[in-house]
Amino acid sequence: MMILLTGSTGFVGQALLARLAAQPALDLVVVSRRPNSSLPAGVAHAQVADIAADTAWQPVLQGVQVIIHAAARVHVMNDKVADPLAEFRKVNVDGTLNLARQAVGAGVKRFIFISSIKVNGESTAPGKPYSAESQPAPVDPYGISKLEAEQALRELAAETGMEVVIIRPPLVYGPDVKANFLSMMRWLSKGIPLPLGTIQNRRSLVALDNLVDLIATCVEHPAAANQTFMVSDGEDLSTRQLLRRMGGALGRQARLVPIPAWLLEAGASLLGKRALAQRLCGSLQVDISKTRELLNWSPPLGVDEALRRAAEHFLEHQAE
């Protein structure tokens, strides 16, 4: 089976590349804007322009049976462009649909689209997780663009018969993770007191290895066709639990100060950090029961082992 992978240089894409390249029954082609001389043995590379509405994909689609589309214009904090939604649409909607349409013409059987939990929204009431059937309610331009791409792909699938699989991950963490998760590990490793000792929220996360395993499962599983799947580690944590368990993985006790959540949120709003406070204090849960039942899939990696792997990589590279 020949698979085309986009986004192979990203956080998820690199791990997915390593996983798929290790399967001898698969022929793998990766695409990127620049030459890549460090690919695993046996992996083909194709250079393409930016993913856009006019990108020519025909030269790299011959013989491809499955596309895993992990490339995207990702969520940008403090985006400075004049029209963020228009910029997200160029890549995440127009570019995706252009690739999918050309995939239909080339006879591609299945298109796996890596979407985002932001399609559903930014928060859930405790004990009321998002499911694959929940009404989408994206808030920011990134989430809106991902929803529009999903809708366009489903319409294309209905018109043409190409199978579409949609996966909506929440926050993904693992070795070499960046952004807020990396900041958290730095704070914990330095023993910085954190005012999060009373937070009783619930958040779903997904370890990089667990997400990659689900994507690999969806490559051939017959029940995955034309389905939308939620994914997580199967264990939701409060911010306080996450900090304590991450601290344990780092060999440092988390120093948590018991500040009431309402006071944290008020202070964060005054400082213009309301979104950060929402992520730290609010809940965002996903229900993966459909994923478990339809695909007979369970997260292969437990939370503590996943945190240990992330911590181990951090400790080895924190001086870089």
Side-chain angles (χ1 to χ4, degrees), residues 276-296:
L276 177 59
Q278 169 59 38
R279 287 190 292 274
L280 291 171
C281 302
S283 294
L284 198 162
Q285 296 176 272
V286 302
D287 178 0
I288 65 170
S289 58
K290 173 185 173 180
T291 311
R292 290 182 183 273
E293 294 163 7
L294 202 60
L295 302 179
N296 192 28

Side-chain angles (χ1 to χ4, degrees), residues 294-318:
L294 202 60
L295 302 179
N296 192 28
W297 179 86
S298 292
L301 204 62
V303 169
D304 289 317
E305 174 60 17
L307 292 175
R308 186 196 65 78
R309 294 185 186 184
E312 185 177 79
H313 185 277
F314 170 80
L315 293 171
E316 290 176 357
H317 299 86
Q318 61 179 326

Side-chain angles (χ1 to χ4, degrees), residues 79-277:
D79 203 341
K80 301 299 184 184
V81 298
D83 188 347
L85 181 55
E87 294 302 312
F88 280 115
R89 281 173 170 156
K90 287 178 184 178
V91 177
N92 298 349
V93 183
D94 301 338
T96 295
L97 193 56
N98 175 51
L99 170 58
R101 284 173 174 155
Q102 292 183 54
V104 170
V108 172
K109 178 183 178 182
R110 180 169 289 187
F111 191 101
I112 301 175
F113 180 61
I114 311 305
S115 187
S116 169
I117 193 58
K118 283 180 168 288
V119 165
N120 289 89
E122 298 291 334
S123 63
T124 56
K128 296 183 178 180
Y130 292 132
S131 71
E133 287 70 39
S134 297
Q135 184 68 29
V139 173
D140 67 3
Y142 173 71
I144 293 169
S145 72
K146 283 291 192 177
L147 174 59
E148 291 177 352
E150 288 187 12
Q151 292 169 334
L153 288 171
R154 289 193 192 96
E155 291 175 3
L156 185 67
E159 293 168 3
T160 66
M162 182 177 71
E163 298 171 354
V164 167
V165 182
I166 294 167
I167 300 174
R168 294 180 188 160
L171 187 149
V172 185
Y173 68 97
D176 204 29
V177 67
K178 307 297 185 185
N180 290 334
F181 206 95
L182 175 59
S183 297
M184 178 188 71
M185 289 192 286
R186 286 174 174 159
W187 298 334
L188 290 168
S189 69
K190 294 176 181 177
I192 296 173
L194 301 171
L196 299 164
T198 65
I199 306 303
Q200 300 286 352
N201 59 345
R202 283 288 180 269
R203 296 194 76 88
S204 299
L205 310 175
V206 63
L208 180 61
D209 287 341
N210 288 338
L211 175 57
V212 165
D213 189 78
L214 177 62
I215 297 170
T217 298
C218 288
V219 167
E220 295 188 80
H221 201 300
N226 301 315
Q227 298 292 336
T228 298
F229 296 110
M230 301 300 195
V231 60
S232 77
D233 291 334
E235 180 184 1
D236 297 343
L237 303 176
S238 68
T239 300
R240 181 176 65 173
Q241 290 172 324
L242 174 60
L243 289 166
R244 286 179 172 170
R245 289 164 75 167
M246 188 76 250
L250 291 164
R252 299 295 298 268
Q253 183 174 356
R255 301 176 63 190
L256 303 181
V257 181
I259 304 296
W262 67 267
L263 186 57
L264 277 175
E265 293 174 354
S269 295
L270 290 174
L271 296 172
K273 301 291 185 181
R274 185 175 182 179
L276 177 59

